[in-house]
Structures are given as structure tokens and as C-alpha cells.
Amino acid sequence: MTAPDPPVLRLSDGEAALSGAWTLAEFDILGRRRRLLFQALSQAGSEARSWNLEGISRLDNAAALLLWRAWRQRYPKQIILPERLAAAFSRIARLPEQKEESARPVPFLWLERLGRSVLSMSRRMLSFTLDVTELLGALVLSAYFLCRHPKAMPWKEFSATLYKAGFEAMPVTLLVGFLIGLTISYLSALQLRLYGADIFVVNLLGMGIIRELGPVLAAVLVAGRSGSAMTAQIGVMRVTEEIDALAVMGVSATLRVVWPKVAAMLVVMPLLVVWVSFSALLGGAVAAFVELELSIPYFFLRLPEVVAFSNLWIGLSKGAVFGFLIALLACHFGLKVRPNTESLSRHTTASVVTAITLVILTDAIFALLTRQIGI
Amino acid sequence: MSRAPSLSPLPQPAADASGVIELRGVWTRYRETLIHRALDFTARQGEVISLIGGSGSGKTTLLRVILGLTAPAQGEVRLFGESLHHASLAQRQALRRRLGMLFQQGALFSALSVYDNIAFPLRELGFLDEGWIRENVRLKLNMVGLDFGQAALTPAELSGGMIKRVALARALAIEPELLLLDEPTAGLDPPRSRSFVRLIRELQEMLRLTVVLVTHDVETIRGLESSVAVLAEQRVLRQGSIAEITAWDHPATREFFLSAPNP
């Protein structure tokens, strides 16, 4: 351990004598005495007529800069500067001058800012729409290509996505679905009992879960789980230039990376919708049994009588559309990641938020279009 | 003038008998693989030591052990005479403030601009005002041969050579006493590489830096007038001047110097 050698400044008769080690590390050790030293230095900067640097044992560039600033960016008139320290100062003295950027006040700055943000927002919306459309087109072309060359279908990636986004999501979707079904059933049972309409809990849950809640719940969970993972994965592949490497090897990134994800989600989401709806209904049946003493087999026997079969089809097709949307947006945002950590996190967030928003928007459109079916 | 002439010679930092870096009997494992076996290594103040050895001989791991990023399974690591792995968090941080590291890929913070990358360690110290930091960044950029106009760029916009320079500027920002370099000249063209080596040498002399580097480049070793430590058979097999190591006929070094032209 090198012994501490604190920097010392002595000011007497207009001469500033410096000794000790003038380094950042020593400044760091000084602790509270540091402020005193800096104050003394700025005082010396305005008062001292001559400077003696002979006593300095070590001087680093940061400390040399500190002295230079105390000297107001030029050598003092009288200075004793040992040869071995001169290099540090001459390096600073040689630094090229920098231009001061002018900060001229602009009238109506807020108006300009408002205009800029509106413009950039609409530009972003436009480019988002264009980019997604472009990706859709690339997907259609890939599908056409695959129809003609079925052997080129990336089955491995397809099944990997099925497994990761589908099978691995089963426990968490079961849990969430069950608990939500339980809660809704319990709360509606309390209300329905007031009217003696206990039995209608099956209608309420069946319609609500199969047609609405199941698909939306599955979509939200999958967007959070798999959509973010896909964006991050493709984003890192962009950062590490893996996407470019694929292109160089003559492998289309759309075909090998985007297509299997979109196709797999199109398949797996309806299955997950069934799974989530089933778990929610199970939760609902359990709550109905506890609260209303409605037997669980009776609950499921009554279900097909009160909920038209077309509702299941609506739920399933919603699932497919939602899955497609989530995968498409995840891939889109992943491919837009620029090579830095900030961009990666921003795009992953945007992917999940946009996917969930669009899923709910699409759900509303579905509700409008299917308002005469199955009710 | 009533100034007493200073009669005593300048206080020189004591030539420490103990080294800046001292590794005693260090064993490192990566999963099942043994990387270092009872490795000893010493670097004294002001020394410049190049670690050489075949790929996979544990050179970069040795740097990580010195930095405290990889804990050895056994053995002792002392930096500036203090044990790294038995130090408290505050002590360890104080130790780390005395060393600078240039990572092979630069390891610049990709979300920060060049300016903020170099200013980052200075801001962490907590006692520099923004004006002083700004001047420091300007000086460090100038030292590594970059223009202050490039300070607003982000790491993604830099070429490989510029990343190295910015990373060196960042490593030097807190004025370390010990500088560790992982492949400092890899990815630089020969003239840039030479001027980079000259720069490191100049700084090393000016600040009496201790420098430990991993390199594959004989030019770099010669340019730094560095001594050489050969890593093979999971330890530092031999440490000496470049002439001694060249004269030493061993499979670990034969190929290394064979390809290099004599100066």
C-alpha cells in the first residue's frame, strides 16, 4: 500500500507553494478537507503572484486541469515548474479551443415544441403503419414461397415457438384463469342470489368467459410472456448482427425468424384460449358450488344448453387473430431495435403495450361485427 | 525573495517491495475445467507486463481475477498490498478506483453518449463540478486522438477503432495507478495501433502507471518495452524480458515469436 501523501497548498507572501500528491485518488481520500483545499486553491488563483510546484510528488491530468482552471486557462507569470510535471500542463495548453454554442432565446418556443411533437408523432404513426404493412407483405410472400417449396418450412423453429409460447404458458394461464373465474363467479353469485336467479350464473360465466374473457385474458398473458420474449430475442439478434449474418448466408430472416413465430402463435393461441376458458369456467364452477351449492357436473351439463356453440367459434377465431397480432408486433418491434440497451428496453415495452392495446381494440371491433351471432 | 530553497530531494514514491498486484497460489475453475493451478504472479510499481499464451490458456480469466470479477477457488489476490477477496465493499471500491480497465470490446455503456461514458466514472467520484468534468473529458478525448466534436456520438455510431479509444479514455478518466488492457491493439490498423501503443507508453511514463496487458501482438510488446509473462500449463510458466523469453525455447512461446519479424 502506497502511503497516503495528501496534497498541500501553502499561501504566504503572495506565493502559493504546492506539495504532496495531487491526484484524484488523494482528493478522494481527503474527504471533508477537500472543500477547504479547493477553496484555498481558488483564493490562491486570484491572489497568488507566483506559484511553486516543486514540492509536488505526483500530479495527474485531472489535478493539472484543476490548477489550470485556478490559473484561468494560462500559465501564471511567475512559476517554478519542474521538468517532470511540465508535460501535463503543455498537454492542456495545447488543447484546441472549442466554440461556445450560442443559446439564443427563441420566441414561441412552446409552439415550436408542440408542432414538433405533433409532427414527430404523426410521422411515427405513419412509419409504424408502413413498416407493419411491409412486414405483412413479406409474410405473405414467405407463405407463397412455402406453398411452392414446402420443404423450406422451418418446422424446428415453429415447434420451438409452440412449446415456448404454448406449453410452457400452461401453468401460469391455468392459475390466472382459475382465480379470475373464481372471483367473478363469487361476486356475481352474491348479486344473483338477491334475485333468486342463482342458476343464471352459468349463463353469465359461460357467455362472458368463452366469448370475451378467455381470449382477452390469454392474449394479455401471452403478450406479456411471449411477445416481450420475442421482441427481446429478435432485438438482441439485431444488436449482435445475427440477422445480418442470416441474410449473408442467404437465409431470409422473415422466413426463418418471423414466419415460424407468427404461424406458431396462430396455431397455439386458440388452444391456449380453450385452456384459459376451461380453467376460468372451472374456477367459476367451484365458486358456484361453494357459494350457491350448484353441483359442478350440473354446471358443465347446463353450459351447452345456455351458451350457443357459435360463441366457442368466436372465441377461437379471436384467439387466432390475437396471436397473429401479438407475434407480428413483437417481430416488428424486435426488427426495429437499434444497437443499444436503451432502444432494446424501449422496443420491448412498446411491443407489449401496443400488442395489448391493439388486442383490446380488435376485441371491440369483433364485438361490433358479431353482435348478432350466438347471443 | 525569502523562499527557503528545498534541499531535500523530491519525495519519490517508495519502490515497494511488495507488488501492485500479487497473486499467490491461485486456483481458478470454470465448471469442470481447471484454468489456473497454483498460479503465482507479481507486478511491481511502474512495470509493464504482457501476458501471452495460447487461446484458452486463461489470460483473460487472469485479468478478471485481478479485477475481482472472478473469484478464485483457492489462493490469494492482493492489490496494492490489500487482499481483494477479504476486503469490505467500501475497501474493494476504493481499490477499484485505483485501477482502470480497457475491455476487449470496449464495454462502453451503449445508452450513453461518448461524453457521458467518459464522464461517468468522474461523476461517480462525486466531488468534481461539471466544468472540471467537461475539461477532463476534453483532455482525455484529445489524449486518445479524438475530436471533442465526436463526444455527442453514441457507441453504436463509432467504428471499432474509435470504440477502443473511447474505452481507453474512460479507463484513464479516474487517473488510475494500475491499467489493465485486454487486447489493446486488436482491431486497430497498424499506424493507429503504433500511435496507440506510443500513447500508452507515454502515459505510463508520465504517471508511472503499472500496466498489465493481454496481447497477441509482438509489436505491442516491443513498443511498450514490456516484459513478458507466459501463461501455459495453467500457470505463469516464466516471466522475464522479451529477450529472455525469445531465447527460451518452449512450445508455448516458439510459435508466438516465430511469426514476428525481428526489429
Side-chain angles (χ1 to χ4, degrees):
Chain A
M1 184 81 196
T2 37
D5 184 12
V8 176
L9 170 71
R10 276 198 198 83
L11 184 62
S12 60
D13 296 341
E15 192 202 58
L18 277 58
S19 61
W22 286 67
T23 62
L24 276 186
E26 292 291 344
F27 292 151
D28 196 24
I29 298 171
L30 274 186
R32 274 198 283 166
R33 282 172 300 160
R34 188 167 51 227
R35 230 158 53 90
L36 297 177
L37 179 73
F38 290 175
Q39 270 168 10
L41 191 64
S42 70
Q43 191 196 348
S46 50
E47 288 175 11
R49 289 186 308 277
S50 69
W51 291 73
N52 182 353
L53 272 55
E54 256 185 331
I56 291 183
S57 60
R58 268 171 66 91
L59 175 79
D60 65 18
N61 289 294
L65 266 176
L66 184 70
L67 291 177
W68 192 252
R69 277 159 62 81
W71 297 340
R72 312 225 159 72
Q73 331 288 344
R74 56 169 187 268
Y75 286 110
K77 291 214 176 66
Q78 290 175 42
I79 180 169
I80 301 170
L81 178 63
E83 192 64 32
R84 67 206 157 80
L85 303 180
F89 291 107
S90 67
R91 198 190 287 282
I92 295 169
R94 280 203 312 269
L95 266 187
E97 282 295 315
Q98 66 185 102
K99 297 181 288 283
E100 288 296 318
E101 53 262 48
S102 61
R104 191 169 46 85
V106 183
F108 294 111
L109 189 65
W110 61 271
L111 191 64
E112 189 185 323
R113 284 210 186 118
L114 184 72
R116 266 182 212 288
S117 60
V118 168
L119 270 181
S120 88
M121 182 103 94
S122 46
R123 208 176 298 136
R124 231 178 307 154
M125 289 286 272
L126 184 69
S127 77
F128 170 75
T129 320
L130 286 178
D131 288 340
V132 172
T133 316
E134 190 186 329
L135 190 60
L136 260 177
L139 279 176
V140 171
L141 287 179
S142 307
Y144 176 67
F145 176 82
L146 282 175
C147 286
R148 288 176 46 197
H149 307 89
K151 276 190 185 158
M153 175 72 196
W155 287 114
K156 225 189 253 175
E157 288 83 352
F158 176 78
S159 79
T161 311
L162 280 190
Y163 180 77
K164 277 191 280 191
F167 181 76
E168 286 188 345
M170 284 176 80
V172 68
T173 44
L174 173 77
L175 182 71
V176 172
F178 184 84
L179 290 177
I180 292 214
L182 203 73
T183 317
I184 293 179
S185 172
Y186 172 71
L187 290 176
S188 12
L190 291 181
Q191 305 299 318
L192 289 172
R193 201 161 44 187
L194 292 178
Y195 297 94
D198 301 20
I199 194 66
F200 285 101
V201 76
V202 184
N203 307 38
L204 194 73
L205 287 180
M207 190 63 102
I209 287 171
I210 293 174
R211 197 181 165 110
E212 276 302 320
L213 205 57
V216 171
L217 200 55
V220 169
L221 287 173
V222 168
R225 239 190 122 262
S226 312
S228 58
M230 285 177 191
T231 306
Q233 190 201 359
I234 297 179
V236 172
M237 286 177 79
R238 281 266 307 162
V239 173
T240 55
E241 296 180 311
E242 286 172 58
I243 299 278
D244 298 335
L246 275 177
V248 169
M249 289 176 213
V251 179
S252 151
T254 321
L255 189 63
R256 192 60 69 89
V257 180
V258 180
W259 170 256
K261 289 188 173 27
V262 174
M265 288 283 271
L266 205 58
V267 173
V268 86
M269 265 296 285
L271 300 177
L272 269 180
V273 166
V274 172
W275 176 250
V276 173
S277 300
F278 165 72
S279 12
L281 286 172
L282 192 67
V286 168
F289 173 68
V290 172
E291 197 60 26
L292 305 170
E293 286 163 6
L294 207 68
S295 92
I296 293 177
Y298 177 73
F299 185 98
F300 282 103
L301 279 176
R302 177 109 177 114
L303 198 60
E305 290 169 25
V306 297
V307 180
F309 197 68
S310 51
N311 286 305
L312 187 62
W313 286 119
I314 291 174
L316 288 180
S317 45
K318 269 190 197 177
V321 171
F322 293 167
F324 177 77
L325 266 180
I326 291 166
L328 185 73
L329 291 171
C331 294
H332 161 77
F333 282 108
L335 288 170
K336 288 282 166 252
V337 167
R338 264 165 300 143
N340 65 69
T341 48
E342 180 64 34
S343 168
L344 186 62
S345 78
R346 191 149 13 93
H347 281 79
T348 311
T349 312
S351 160
V352 175
V353 171
T354 316
I356 292 178
T357 313
L358 277 186
V359 158
I360 289 171
L361 199 73
T362 318
D363 189 56
I365 295 171
F366 253 98
L368 266 177
L369 294 179
T370 59
R371 64 187 182 278
Q372 265 133 20
I373 306 170
I375 297 179
Chain B
M1 292 289 278
S2 63
R3 185 171 57 82
S6 76
L7 296 172
S8 59
L10 277 172
Q12 295 288 335
D16 249 316
S18 63
V20 171
I21 305 171
E22 258 183 296
L23 272 65
R24 290 284 162 268
V26 166
W27 294 63
T28 325
R29 251 174 256 282
Y30 180 70
R31 299 212 178 114
E32 298 299 305
T33 325
L34 192 63
I35 298 172
H36 301 135
R37 182 208 308 266
L39 179 144
D40 290 337
F41 176 71
T42 308
R44 283 177 221 295
Q45 169 137 42
E47 267 189 313
V48 182
I49 302 177
S50 304
L51 298 171
I52 65 168
S55 69
S57 59
K59 304 180 297 276
T60 301
T61 311
L62 186 58
L63 279 193
R64 290 179 62 86
V65 169
I66 293 170
L67 286 164
L69 294 175
T70 301
Q74 210 182 310
E76 203 186 16
V77 181
R78 296 173 84 84
L79 282 185
F80 305 102
E82 285 183 40
S83 175
L84 185 61
H85 293 281
H86 299 115
S88 68
L89 191 67
Q91 277 175 314
R92 203 181 295 188
Q93 252 162 3
L95 281 181
R96 282 197 179 143
R97 279 195 182 151
R98 299 172 65 181
L99 56 87
M101 169 74 188
L102 176 66
F103 288 91
Q104 195 168 356
Q105 311 293 339
L108 297 177
F109 302 123
S110 60
L112 301 181
S113 68
V114 166
Y115 180 93
D116 288 325
N117 260 288
I118 301 171
F120 184 84
L122 295 169
R123 290 195 178 123
E124 285 301 296
L125 281 177
F127 60 78
L128 286 85
D129 61 63
E130 274 303 317
W132 190 6
I133 288 176
R134 190 182 167 79
E135 291 293 301
N136 258 312
V137 172
R138 222 154 70 84
L139 179 65
K140 296 285 148 42
L141 277 175
N142 181 263
M143 276 180 169
V144 297
L146 291 176
D147 189 46
F148 192 68
Q150 289 161 318
L153 298 178
T154 61
E157 295 167 304
L158 302 178
S159 68
M162 278 164 78
I163 287 176
K164 285 256 160 165
R165 282 159 179 263
V166 175
L168 181 70
R170 188 180 69 176
L172 290 175
I174 49 160
E175 311 285 347
E177 294 160 60
L178 168 63
L179 188 60
L180 301 170
L181 314 163
D182 194 0
E183 299 280 1
T185 51
L188 297 184
D189 56 38
R192 282 262 155 101
S193 163
R194 272 193 291 277
S195 76
F196 199 48
V197 167
R198 248 200 318 277
L199 176 70
I200 295 170
R201 179 76 185 140
E202 207 180 302
L203 291 165
Q204 190 269 330
E205 282 182 336
M206 187 169 81
L207 293 167
R208 297 188 205 117
L209 288 175
T210 312
V211 178
V212 174
L213 64 148
V214 165
T215 188
H216 281 118
D217 183 25
V218 182
E219 289 276 306
T220 305
I221 301 177
R222 293 210 171 102
L224 289 174
E225 296 166 40
S226 155
S227 64
V228 177
V230 183
L231 254 96
E233 298 164 24
Q234 288 138 347
R235 56 209 169 89
V236 177
L237 217 54
R238 194 151 216 194
Q239 198 169 339
S241 74
I242 186 162
E244 282 166 34
I245 299 292
T246 321
W248 182 48
D249 195 37
H250 187 275
T253 56
R254 205 176 296 142
E255 277 198 20
F256 190 87
F257 290 106
L258 208 60
S259 55
N262 278 316

